[in-house]
Amino acid sequence: MSVLSIVLQVILGLGFLMFGFMKFGSKQMVEGFKHYGYPGAFRVFTGLIEVIAGVLVIAGIWNEGLAAWGGLLIVVTMIGAIITHIKIKDQLKQMLMPIILLILGLVVLLINYGSLFV
């Protein structure tokens, strides 16, 4: 496992744990999902997926297959976030963080891709 992958996995893992847990009740997240037109249950579901992705990419430091699955979850989640920003006609600057996280998740997925189905 490369140092690059470990660093990315720690950063992504901690970030996704933080943002995932915030989705369970942060006023900012509650208001954000209302603005996007999504129900509270979808906010909680998204938070759960983000927490799982965070755990997987961190556990993936010791098991590349878990890193690959965590990276895949991050990629899919960030595609959804970008589509949401496009749907509500946000400017590109509001999409920058999901785009960056998509790219970082894709890097972790590609580094560990060979372990995805093992």
Side-chain angles (χ1 to χ4, degrees):
M1 169 147 319
S2 71
V3 173
L4 170 66
S5 187
I6 291 171
V7 169
L8 284 177
Q9 286 168 236
V10 169
I11 292 169
L12 282 172
L14 293 176
F16 270 77
L17 285 171
M18 180 183 72
F19 286 118
F21 283 122
M22 285 175 62
K23 284 189 177 62
F24 295 137
S26 156
K27 184 177 179 175
Q28 178 185 0
M29 291 293 177
V30 170
E31 293 303 317
F33 272 69
K34 283 181 186 174
H35 174 72
Y36 303 146
Y38 294 136
F42 185 69
R43 174 182 42 81
V44 172
F45 173 76
T46 302
L48 183 60
I49 294 299
E50 289 182 1
V51 167
I52 291 169
V55 168
L56 287 173
V57 295
I58 289 172
I61 293 169
W62 300 278
N63 180 318
E64 291 176 358
L66 296 177
W69 283 106
L72 181 61
L73 271 178
I74 289 170
V75 167
V76 170
T77 302
M78 290 303 98
I79 288 171
I82 293 165
I83 289 170
T84 295
H85 285 287
I86 292 169
K87 179 185 97 169
I88 65 167
K89 297 178 174 43
D90 267 344
Q91 294 181 352
L92 181 61
K93 65 182 178 182
Q94 278 84 28
M95 294 183 228
L96 281 180
M97 186 54 72
I99 290 169
I100 290 167
L101 293 171
L102 169 69
I103 292 167
L104 296 177
L106 191 57
V107 169
V108 170
L109 173 59
L110 292 175
I111 289 172
N112 298 286
Y113 184 78
S115 302
L116 193 60
F117 298 106
V118 176

